[in-house]
Amino acid sequence: MAEILVLVDHVDGDVKKVTLELLTLANRLGEASAVWVGGGYDGAKDKLAEYGAQKVYVGSDEELTSYVVAPKAALLAQLVQDKAPAAVLVGATAEGKEIAGRLAVKIGSGVLTDVVDVADGFVAEHSIFGGGVIAHAKVNTGTPVIAVRPNSVPAEAAPASPAEEQVSVALSDADKAAKIVEKVVEEKGERPDLTEAAIVVSGGRGVGKDGFSIIEGLADSLGAAVGASRAATDAGWYPHQFQVGQTGKTVSPQLYVAVGISGAIQHRAGMQTSKTIIAINKDPEAPIFELVDFGVVGDLFQVAPQLTEEIIKRK
Ligand SMILES: Cc1cc2nc3c(=O)[nH]c(=O)nc-3n(C[C@H](O)[C@H](O)[C@H](O)COP(=O)(O)OP(=O)(O)OC[C@H]3O[C@@H](n4cnc5c(N)ncnc54)[C@H](O)[C@@H]3O)c2cc1C
């Protein structure tokens, strides 16, 4: 079976969900080999094994994480040269896409980004125009480098006993051009990560400038992450990093609650694969209702607080 390299996305050993999705996808296409860069591997190896890594290349030299992005591309380029994998998969995050581009240049390959699925023969699927058009593309030159969007492919546990191989790469001056001088861990509240949460409660223009405390209250009663439409983030009512949609984050939780959101195609592009969708909107004609499993036609300022109260009561 052809070996497929999967670059592990992790923060100090905490493996991101997208990696588990990529391992699942890689095992569908061939044999998944995880590529670990940085510290914290010991705490993460069980997770990689649980999700089907057949092999793990461990690059734990401190130098690899002392510089911005380039060393990861350099290590992957060397692995492509040494192991001749059939493809390389990375998460289509901001960093993942930069690594994919750099890697493709280094190995003279084609690169595909924002991919939502990969079929036999490494035919990649892109969802474009807000999910209105599906495009297929294939790399014609070299080892395909494919950046897959988080939450596109469901992760499935497939326990394996991966062999481990320590790897390193000699970094060039160009790889060392941008050194990391300080790392500040972002203050994280109690809420789960937006792209990894099982439940997301999002607010839109209907929520207004001062209404996001209602969204946060509902989210907290459910142990959910908070999201927002672009109308809300552009207005400055909620930070941009929480925007869901075509130009924001893609989420695929078990439950998505859209509050005061009309359901524009660009918003749907980021949440339409959620398992169960609930909307609260005062306009019965709002397009979001075409998509929902449950809809409440009503004023969010009345419905959402009552819902929160009821959920807390039943806990
Ligand atoms: C290139 C491009 C990329 C884009 N990317 C994104 C993206 O990533 N994410 C995104 O979200 N948008 C994106 N947009 C914007 C998108 O087209 C919509 O403008 C946006 O999603 C609308 O946000 P909204 O639903 O919050 O606001 P609106 O469309 O104004 O809807 C507000 C809704 O709130 C309801 N409402 C109002 N008051 C109440 C109340 N008291 N109780 C209950 N309901 C109420 C209204 O009935 C209405 O349906 C993009 C647009 C473009 C052109």
Side-chain angles (χ1 to χ4, degrees), residues 6-309:
V6 169
L7 179 64
V8 177
D9 188 354
H10 70 99
V11 177
D12 298 331
D14 182 12
V15 178
K16 295 282 164 192
K17 196 168 109 201
V18 65
T19 300
L20 313 180
E21 296 162 3
L22 295 184
L23 289 172
T24 302
L25 179 59
N27 277 328
R28 226 170 64 197
L29 300 163
E31 274 189 4
S33 289
V35 180
W36 182 274
V37 182
Y41 172 63
D42 282 345
K45 61 203 297 187
D46 288 350
K47 192 113 213 166
L48 299 178
E50 187 189 343
Y51 282 84
Q54 313 287 323
K55 191 161 191 183
V56 185
Y57 297 109
V58 184
S60 45
D61 290 353
E62 212 186 312
E63 245 202 342
L64 290 170
T65 46
S66 301
Y67 302 92
V68 179
V69 183
K72 290 181 181 167
L75 183 68
L76 284 171
Q78 181 166 302
L79 283 171
V80 169
Q81 199 180 32
D82 293 350
K83 313 289 177 188
V88 182
L89 303 182
V90 302
T93 58
E95 183 183 273
K97 286 193 267 191
E98 190 175 343
I99 292 168
R102 285 172 180 264
L103 171 63
V105 169
K106 278 179 186 290
I107 61 176
S109 286
V111 59
L112 297 168
T113 63
D114 281 323
V115 164
V116 294
D117 203 355
V118 184
D120 284 350
F122 301 103
V123 177
E125 186 174 307
H126 298 263
S127 169
I128 56 176
F129 298 128
V133 175
I134 300 292
H136 293 107
K138 198 175 166 189
V139 167
N140 285 330
T141 306
T143 306
V145 179
I146 303 176
V148 182
R149 275 190 162 199
N151 290 314
S152 300
V153 179
E156 285 163 21
S161 309
E164 289 168 21
E165 184 178 330
Q166 295 293 324
V167 289
S168 62
V169 64
L171 298 181
S172 66
D173 287 347
D175 294 330
K176 298 182 187 174
K179 189 167 169 58
I180 296 169
V181 290
E182 191 187 13
K183 276 188 187 167
V184 180
V185 178
E186 204 178 324
E187 285 269 339
K188 220 175 151 232
E190 295 294 299
R191 291 186 196 109
D193 233 29
L194 180 55
T195 51
E196 310 221 334
I199 305 176
V200 174
V201 179
S202 287
R205 200 193 312 267
V207 172
K209 185 170 180 281
D210 303 315
F212 264 85
S213 57
I214 293 175
I215 303 299
E216 290 183 332
L218 179 54
D220 290 345
S221 73
L222 291 163
V226 174
S229 73
R230 180 158 156 183
T233 57
D234 277 357
W237 302 340
Y238 219 67
H240 272 286
Q241 79 216 59
F242 297 100
Q243 183 187 315
V244 172
Q246 186 186 330
T247 42
K249 301 262 165 64
T250 302
V251 299
S252 192
Q254 294 298 318
L255 174 64
Y256 187 85
V257 187
V259 185
I261 293 178
S262 63
I265 191 166
Q266 296 89 353
H267 187 78
R268 292 178 185 210
M271 47 63 76
Q272 61 197 356
T273 58
S274 304
K275 307 296 169 294
T276 300
I277 299 171
I278 298 178
I280 303 170
N281 197 304
K282 68 179 183 186
D283 174 8
E285 303 296 323
I288 192 81
F289 286 127
E290 294 162 11
L291 199 66
V292 299
D293 298 282
F294 303 98
V296 182
V297 178
D299 184 343
L300 73 90
F301 294 101
Q302 288 179 7
V303 177
Q306 283 178 44
L307 183 58
T308 307
E309 207 183 299

